[in-house]
């Protein structure tokens, strides 16, 4: 063959140029006009609940209800200061003209509308406590209570004439419903009085896309200005904020910082390595070109397949810089000291080896796509496409773009010579001592190795945000969205009836102070059977000659009058309640129609200890259509299950890689693979010895250690002669670049990425250290340049 480009090579290079131009145009279209949707929710990395779609829908509905909402508490020692500071906070937001709905001011008409909605159904609305009172006490005793209530100076607010509701059952029912929230109107504003402090309560709701990065970036400065205005209006106030948009904005800001740190930090280190190794910036420019093409292709394909891009995918994709670096580094390491005309022959010789390296790396990346984790599928596609595009850029463009002679530099010569002094595994005392040392590490680490799949390990929000979230939840006594009861039935009314059966058991726990309370749709819309029973109980207790009304009026010296008719009483319906503004805060509890019927959710307040969860779970036993859901435990169980599954995937990947290596190296294939296997086992042992628990993201990193670490074994086994310095130079520079990338990833504030990066840092470092030890061929001690 001649040392020149073949016609096929030219056509392929031109075709690749056209494809890259299309990809670049697609990226330009995506990044302009806010067309690319970036997801910041870490739970998007987790699998869907395949066992029960209703659980997934319930979780999604509860999450969607909170996705756009922000709660702000402006607290002070007295209400006047809190009100003044709250007004200042609201004024700043009103001047911002953001797509933001603010609920802070309340009018008397709103309260009147709330009362007037329930008024027509008052005779059908009795709580369980009221029904028990009416059934257990005699009409005479109840009549005494009714008369005493007339002369009591302070009591429940009465709605309507005494003669229509002498026991004030309607006022009592409304008061009980209002107790679901600690927020009360005061001076036309939402207020909260708790712990001896007064708080102005502001409810904010973002309009438009829930996770719009541009909307979050626009909102956060105004929230800071509003907080400053509140503190200036009344010095000493404390402003607390909580809500999903705040966590999303923090995640976006953190991801942006980490993309810059990881991407630019690794790039800066790689540039320095390139300059010292090749004494020119041209290799660095071309390698950066290959990496840039890979990233552009990865963004385009991922966006086309998934419709959106997770921010963690972008952060993870920043580490692609170090992986794709291997191909360009291997190309230029082979060019050192060689005439420019030999580059075409070199590419043809490198193609099988680099193709094998790409294949083994893709096996590791694409194994991620076998997981049911949407975020990890994205990472797999993003990385595989990016690596393939970088590989094609190196093989098809580099021989056309560089033609100058590249001399051997002192650094490259020193790295190449270092391979000669590397110890070799053989039948000697050094090998025995090394084996004993490795065995000790593996046994010690294996003894201390423990798994921890708690989903809370993925929590990456700033501590101040978490503290404020917990403080607001405590002050407002909000129910936890992590644990709830899912109630299903064939009809909406059956769902309400089953809720009522469950609430009978929950009331016993509330009375025992096991929990503080619960939220349920049936608190506001009783089942039809319960409403009919309430109407019958009221008529039996209040009406007639021996009823409470007759007995009470006689005690007062009045003539009993027939004030209640025996005609039909209108019943509350779920449809009317859902259509009315009064249901707005609790609508997420009603899931509506699902496959096989309808469903709702009952949420709990005051579940302060994990020790109470088993009893709450047992409460659902024996109740048709009722299921206890603990999302923290379920997601942690899913993480554990798939960590074990991925362990099997890793073993299968090793077999696939071994099969690919066997075709190239035959019986010596184990020498290219064993260093990576040992490096992975030693990494787990070292992490265990330092007290790091094993989790899914450590196991996922082992897949990529296999994909990249085996490249070192391939390049060195292809030229096992220790005098061949170019392969070791390529391996060393590639490993250094990968360590820079994943080393910085280990500094991430996102726990999943930190565990991933730390595993990669140790695994790649050990794979590089061990790979030369297992090369076949005699050890040499001569000094030659590469």
């Amino acid at each position: 063959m001649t040392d020149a480009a073949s016609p096929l090579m030219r056509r392929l290079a031109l075709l690749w140029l056209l494809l890259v131009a299309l990809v670049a145009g697609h990226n330009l279209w995506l990044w302009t006009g806010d067309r690319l949707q970036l997801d910041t929710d870490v739970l998007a990395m987790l699998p869907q609940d395949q066992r029960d779609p209703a659980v997934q829908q319930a979780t999604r509905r509860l999450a969607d209800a909170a996705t756009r909402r922000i709660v702000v508490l402006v607290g002070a020692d007295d209400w006047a200061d809190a009100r003044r500071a709250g007004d200042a906070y609201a004024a700043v937001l009103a001047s911002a003209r953001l797509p933001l709905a603010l609920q802070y001011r309340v009018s008397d008409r709103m309260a009147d509308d709330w009362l007037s909605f329930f008024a027509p159904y008052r005779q059908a609305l009795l709580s369980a406590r009221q029904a028990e009172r009416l059934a257990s006490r005699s009409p005479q005793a109840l009549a005494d209570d009714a008369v005493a209530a007339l002369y009591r100076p302070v009591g429940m607010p009465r709605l309507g004439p005494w003669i229509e509701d002498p026991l004030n059952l309607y006022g009592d029912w409304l008061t009980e419903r209002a107790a679901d929230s600690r927020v009360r109107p005061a001076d036309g504003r939402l207020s909260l009085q708790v712990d001896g402090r007064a708080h102005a309560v502001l409810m904010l709701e973002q309009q438009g896309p829930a996770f719009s990065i541009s909307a979050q970036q626009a909102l956060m400065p105004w929230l800071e200005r509003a907080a400053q205005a509140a503190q200036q209006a009344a010095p000493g106030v404390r402003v607390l904020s909580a809500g999903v948009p705040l966590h999303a904005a923090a995640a976006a800001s953190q991801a942006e910082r980490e993309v810059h740190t990881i991407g630019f930090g690794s790039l800066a280190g790689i540039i320095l390595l390139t300059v010292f190794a090749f004494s020119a910036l041209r290799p660095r420019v071309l390698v950066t070109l290959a990496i840039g093409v890979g990233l552009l292709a990865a963004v385009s394909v991922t966006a086309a397949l998934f419709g959106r891009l997770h921010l963690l995918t972008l952060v993870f994709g920043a580490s692609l810089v170090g992986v794709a670096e291997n191909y360009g580094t291997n190309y230029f390491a082979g060019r050192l000291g060689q005439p420019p005309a030999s580059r075409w022959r070199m590419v043809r010789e490198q193609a099988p080896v680099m193709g094998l390296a790409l294949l083994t790396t893709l096996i590791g990346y694409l194994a991620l796509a076998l997981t049911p984790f949407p975020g990890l599928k994205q990472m797999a596609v993003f990385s595989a496409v990016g690596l393939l595009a970088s590989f094609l850029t190196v093989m098809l463009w580099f021989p056309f773009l560089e033609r100058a002679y590249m001399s051997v530099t002192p650094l490259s010569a020193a790295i190449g010579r270092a391979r000669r002094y590397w110890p070799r595994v053989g039948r000697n005392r050094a090998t025995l001592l090394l084996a004993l040392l490795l065995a000790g590490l593996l046994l010690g680490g294996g003894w201390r190795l423990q798994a921890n799949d708690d989903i809370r390990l993925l929590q990456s929000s700033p501590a101040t945000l978490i503290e404020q979230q917990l403080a607001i939840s405590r002050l407002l006594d909000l129910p936890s969205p992590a644990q709830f009861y899912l109630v299903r039935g064939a009809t909406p009314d059956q769902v309400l009836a089953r809720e009522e059966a469950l609430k009978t058991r929950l009331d016993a726990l509330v009375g025992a102070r096991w929990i503080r309370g619960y939220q349920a749709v049936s608190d506001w819309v009783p089942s039809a059977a319960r409403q009919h029973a309430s109407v019958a109980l009221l008529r039996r207790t209040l009406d007639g000659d021996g009823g409470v009304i007759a007995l009470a009026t006689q005690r007062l010296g009045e003539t009993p009058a027939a004030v209640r008719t025996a005609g039909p009483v209108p019943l509350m319906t779920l449809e009317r309640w859902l259509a009315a503004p009064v249901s707005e805060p609790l609508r997420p509890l009603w899931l509506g129609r699902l496959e096989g019927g309808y469903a709702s959710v009952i949420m709990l307040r005051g579940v302060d200890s994990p020790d109470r969860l088993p009893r709450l779970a047992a409460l659902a036993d024996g109740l048709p259509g009722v299921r206890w859901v603990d999302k923290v435990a379920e997601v942690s169980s899913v993480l554990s299950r798939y960590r074990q599954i991925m362990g099997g995937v890793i073993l299968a990947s090793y077999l696939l890689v071994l099969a690919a290596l066997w075709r190239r190296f035959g019986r010596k294939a184990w020498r290219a693979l064993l260093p990576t296997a040992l490096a992975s086992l030693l990494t787990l042992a070292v992490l265990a010895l330092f007290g790091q628990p094993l989790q899914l993201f450590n196991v996922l990193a082992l897949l990529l250690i296999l994909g990249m670490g085996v490249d070192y074994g391939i390049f060195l086994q292809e030229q096992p002669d220790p005098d061949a310095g170019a392969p070791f130079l390529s391996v060393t520079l590639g490993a250094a670049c990968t360590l820079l990338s994943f080393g910085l990833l280990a500094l991430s504030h996102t726990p999943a990425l930190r565990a991933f990066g730390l595993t990669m840092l140790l695994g790649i470092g050990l794979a590089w250290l061990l790979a030369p030890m297992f090369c076949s061929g005699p050890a040499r001690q001569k000094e030659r340049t590469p």
Side-chain angles (χ1 to χ4, degrees), residues 462-747:
T464 54
L465 269 184
I466 297 175
E467 291 172 1
Q468 292 188 52
Q469 184 86 39
L470 293 174
I472 288 180
S473 296
R474 183 186 64 82
L475 292 172
L476 294 177
D477 196 21
L478 298 176
S480 170
Q483 294 90 20
F484 55 85
Y485 292 98
L486 178 66
V487 184
R488 284 181 281 189
T491 65
D493 194 64
Q494 188 179 57
V495 174
L496 297 175
R498 289 176 172 178
E499 277 194 8
E500 290 164 351
L502 174 60
K503 290 194 305 182
T504 301
R505 299 185 179 185
L506 289 173
D507 287 337
L509 294 186
V510 175
R513 302 189 179 222
W514 192 266
I515 58 175
R516 288 195 297 272
Y518 53 81
Q519 284 185 350
V521 173
S522 56
D523 285 342
W524 301 84
V525 188
S527 65
R530 176 63 62 87
Q531 292 188 61
H532 282 301
S534 297
V535 171
L537 181 59
L538 280 176
R539 286 179 172 173
R540 186 171 62 250
T541 305
L542 299 184
D543 298 336
D545 294 339
V548 172
I549 293 177
L551 294 174
T553 52
Q554 287 175 4
R555 285 276 308 272
L556 294 171
E558 301 285 343
T559 301
V563 297
R564 301 164 65 89
T565 65
V569 174
L571 301 183
M572 171 94 71
T573 65
L574 184 65
E575 292 77 10
R576 293 173 190 164
W577 181 77
L578 289 173
V582 297
S583 66
E584 192 273 335
L586 297 173
R587 284 174 193 161
L589 298 180
W590 182 253
L591 303 181
R593 180 182 288 276
L594 297 178
E595 183 178 351
Y598 297 81
S600 68
V601 164
I602 293 183
M603 300 180 67
L604 306 178
R605 293 196 300 269
V607 185
D608 300 324
S609 172
D611 298 336
R612 301 184 178 185
L613 298 180
R615 182 172 177 183
L616 291 171
L619 215 63
D621 294 343
L623 292 178
V626 178
R627 174 182 171 181
W628 168 252
V629 177
D630 183 351
K631 287 307 296 180
V632 172
E634 286 194 10
V635 174
S636 298
S637 175
V638 169
L639 290 176
S640 174
R641 186 167 70 252
Y642 284 102
R643 173 178 52 79
Q644 298 170 28
I645 291 174
M646 291 311 298
V649 172
I650 289 176
L651 293 178
S653 298
Y654 267 91
L655 293 177
L656 290 174
V657 170
L658 182 60
L661 294 175
W662 192 274
R663 295 196 61 182
R664 182 74 180 179
F665 301 117
R667 294 182 179 182
K668 295 181 180 181
W670 67 271
R671 293 182 176 274
L673 187 59
L674 185 59
T676 302
L678 280 177
S680 297
L681 294 175
L682 288 171
T683 296
L684 295 181
V686 171
L687 290 175
L689 289 173
F690 281 93
Q692 295 294 318
L694 180 66
Q695 53 182 282
L696 175 65
F697 295 95
N698 299 116
V699 177
L700 293 174
L702 296 180
L703 281 171
L704 302 192
I705 292 174
L706 165 62
M708 289 182 287
V710 74
D711 288 356
Y712 309 152
I714 291 172
F715 292 149
L716 295 179
Q717 189 61 31
E718 183 69 21
Q719 298 187 49
D721 185 355
D723 289 333
F728 190 65
L729 172 64
S730 172
V731 164
T732 302
L733 292 179
C737 294
T738 302
L739 289 175
L740 276 172
S741 301
F742 285 106
L744 291 175
L745 196 63
L747 300 177

Side-chain angles (χ1 to χ4, degrees), residues 293-514:
V293 170
L295 292 175
L296 289 176
V299 169
S300 285
V301 174
T302 305
L305 291 178
F306 296 92
R308 61 174 57 205
L309 203 60
H310 201 288
L311 275 175
L312 288 181
T313 302
L314 285 180
V315 174
F316 182 80
S319 65
L320 194 65
V321 172
V323 186
E325 175 78 18
N326 291 342
Y327 308 128
T329 300
N330 190 67
Y331 174 89
F332 285 110
R335 285 276 289 110
L336 287 178
Q338 302 297 323
S342 66
R343 63 189 187 278
W344 301 106
R345 174 180 52 79
M346 186 195 71
V347 166
R348 289 191 292 270
E349 292 174 352
Q350 283 188 348
V353 180
M354 290 181 64
L356 179 61
L358 173 67
L359 175 62
T360 56
T361 303
L362 289 181
I363 289 175
Y365 272 117
L366 292 178
L368 291 177
L370 300 178
T371 69
F373 294 73
L376 296 179
K377 288 179 183 292
Q378 273 199 19
M379 291 181 182
V381 172
F382 189 97
S383 301
V385 171
L387 286 178
L388 180 59
S390 297
F391 172 82
L392 290 175
T393 303
V394 171
M395 302 303 294
L396 297 178
W397 285 2
F398 276 25
F400 291 100
L401 296 177
E402 65 87 23
R403 302 178 181 180
Y405 176 79
M406 298 183 63
S407 59
V408 178
T409 65
L411 178 63
S412 62
I415 294 175
R417 286 194 301 269
R419 183 184 180 184
R420 303 172 185 168
Y421 305 102
W422 224 263
R424 293 291 189 88
V425 171
R427 297 178 180 179
N428 52 52
R429 291 184 179 180
T431 299
L432 179 61
L433 290 176
L434 178 63
L436 291 176
L437 175 63
L438 295 183
L441 281 174
L442 291 175
L443 289 174
W447 182 262
R448 296 192 58 181
L449 186 64
Q450 292 183 344
N452 189 345
D453 300 292
D454 195 331
I455 182 62
R456 285 165 290 200
L457 293 177
L458 301 181
Q459 175 60 255
S460 60
S461 293
T464 54
L465 269 184
I466 297 175
E467 291 172 1
Q468 292 188 52
Q469 184 86 39
L470 293 174
I472 288 180
S473 296
R474 183 186 64 82
L475 292 172
L476 294 177
D477 196 21
L478 298 176
S480 170
Q483 294 90 20
F484 55 85
Y485 292 98
L486 178 66
V487 184
R488 284 181 281 189
T491 65
D493 194 64
Q494 188 179 57
V495 174
L496 297 175
R498 289 176 172 178
E499 277 194 8
E500 290 164 351
L502 174 60
K503 290 194 305 182
T504 301
R505 299 185 179 185
L506 289 173
D507 287 337
L509 294 186
V510 175
R513 302 189 179 222
W514 192 266

